[in-house]
Amino acid sequence: MSAGLAPEGGEPEFLRAFDIQAGDFAGAGNVSIAVKNLLKELGFAPEVLRRAAIAAFEAEMNVVMYGGGGHMEVFIAPRAVRLVISDHGPGIPDLDLAMQEGWSTATPEMREMGFGAGMGLPNIKRNSDQLRITTAPGQGTRLQVDIFPR
Amino acid sequence: MPASLAQVAQWLRADVLCCAHVLDRSITMCHGSDLMSDVLAFSHPNTLLLTGLTNPQVVRTAEVAGIYGVVFVRGKRPREVMVALAEEYGLPLMVSPYAMFDACGLLFSQGLRGWSLCGPGQRP
């Protein structure tokens, strides 16, 4: 595990991994809700739960919509949560552009579901205390989301 | 001004589709949107969501964002599978005959506000 969590968060340990299916619009969100319930059972504060669930949900939707499937790994420390979301998609050619609110490559199907408004990555960043994105054309995308109690 | 979901149902002449046993929940703000990403970005806990979308992502978004109840406007009814999902999450769903603008206006006239007027540190 790479360094990155604040000292009070402690070193995170792997807890569980979930598969995310490409194009599964009907089931999209189930993984994030399972992650939220898992963290709730472990006693994390409601504010941490909410931010983790929102970041997880946006990331899961991205994997379903663009990422060609992938998985979400959950790591926990006593007071911190790390989510690592990896996909098999085309990668993000211009990350600075993708981080801008409103920038989107969504299809009409995605927009009909209420997504694809260009809020995904900015919203993940807003709910994270640390966000690391690794991506390159043809090599997929990996997000590491760290959340500490505020 | 907070209000109970039961009061909201009365003001909006709404049918309650599930979780009628938690209509005493008190909501502190409202969010009217068909953009689920906006709901995720700007909603606060204890929020009532008004929407014209009736796909399952609405229920999942509400669960993730900690939404307290959902009103479908303009008489739109979600499918049974969606109601069952909301029941599982303990999320009250209602259907109002009013269109979005009118439903929001009715709630505003009763003293309820959205995140841009009463969210912490959010006033424009």
Side-chain angles (χ1 to χ4, degrees):
Chain A
M1 173 56 55
S2 60
L5 283 178
E8 71 268 25
E11 187 64 18
E13 293 181 8
F14 173 73
L15 186 66
R16 200 172 295 180
F18 298 85
D19 285 332
I20 302 172
Q21 303 299 317
D24 178 18
F25 289 95
N30 283 336
V31 165
S32 303
I33 288 169
V35 168
K36 181 184 180 185
N37 290 337
L38 182 62
L39 298 175
K40 189 175 183 180
E41 284 171 18
L42 292 168
F44 281 95
E47 176 263 348
V48 171
L49 284 180
R50 185 168 188 276
R51 288 192 290 126
I54 291 174
F57 192 41
E58 290 282 18
E60 182 182 353
M61 291 305 299
N62 280 348
V63 174
V64 170
M65 294 191 293
Y66 311 109
H71 55 270
M72 186 178 314
E73 295 167 290
V74 182
F75 298 80
I76 59 162
R79 295 180 64 237
V81 175
R82 172 172 290 170
L83 304 173
V84 177
I85 303 99
S86 308
D87 70 36
H88 313 302
I92 303 170
D94 187 337
L95 191 54
D96 288 340
L97 196 57
M99 291 304 294
Q100 291 178 18
E101 286 191 4
W103 186 84
S104 175
T105 57
T107 64
E109 184 186 17
M110 298 169 189
R111 293 181 195 276
E112 282 170 14
M113 302 289 284
F115 290 89
M119 296 295 290
L121 284 174
N123 206 9
I124 293 169
K125 187 173 185 187
R126 185 182 289 121
N127 284 284
S128 307
D129 292 297
Q130 287 181 155
L131 171 62
R132 292 180 183 182
I133 303 177
T134 313
T135 186
Q139 294 178 30
T141 300
R142 178 184 184 277
L143 269 62
Q144 179 177 296
V145 177
D146 290 342
I147 296 170
F148 320 126
R150 284 180 183 168
Chain B
M1 187 193 77
S4 71
L5 290 173
Q7 285 176 298
V8 168
Q10 190 181 345
W11 293 331
L12 297 183
R13 293 172 46 205
D15 288 343
V16 178
L17 303 182
C18 65
C19 303
H21 59 287
V22 291
L23 292 190
D24 58 344
R25 276 184 185 173
S26 181
I27 54 155
T28 51
M29 69 178 83
C30 300
H31 190 122
S33 183
D34 291 346
L35 288 175
M36 293 302 107
S37 285
D38 269 11
V39 175
L40 291 167
F42 301 116
S43 288
H44 296 262
N46 309 357
T47 292
L48 174 76
L49 172 64
L50 298 99
T51 185
L53 272 190
T54 56
N55 67 57
Q57 296 310 327
V58 173
V59 172
R60 294 206 182 94
T61 299
E63 168 67 7
V64 162
I67 296 288
Y68 257 24
V70 178
V71 175
F72 298 102
V73 296
R74 203 166 54 76
K76 289 183 164 187
R77 287 187 177 267
R79 288 183 298 148
E80 262 316 303
V81 63
M82 199 170 151
V83 178
L85 193 62
E87 190 85 53
E88 183 185 327
Y89 297 153
L91 175 73
L93 301 183
M94 302 182 236
V95 178
S96 169
Y98 294 109
M100 177 69 97
F101 183 84
D102 295 325
C104 292
L106 285 167
L107 295 184
F108 197 97
S109 71
Q110 294 288 349
L112 282 161
R113 297 291 180 264
W115 63 268
S116 62
L117 284 178
C118 73
Q122 301 274 19
R123 188 180 281 266

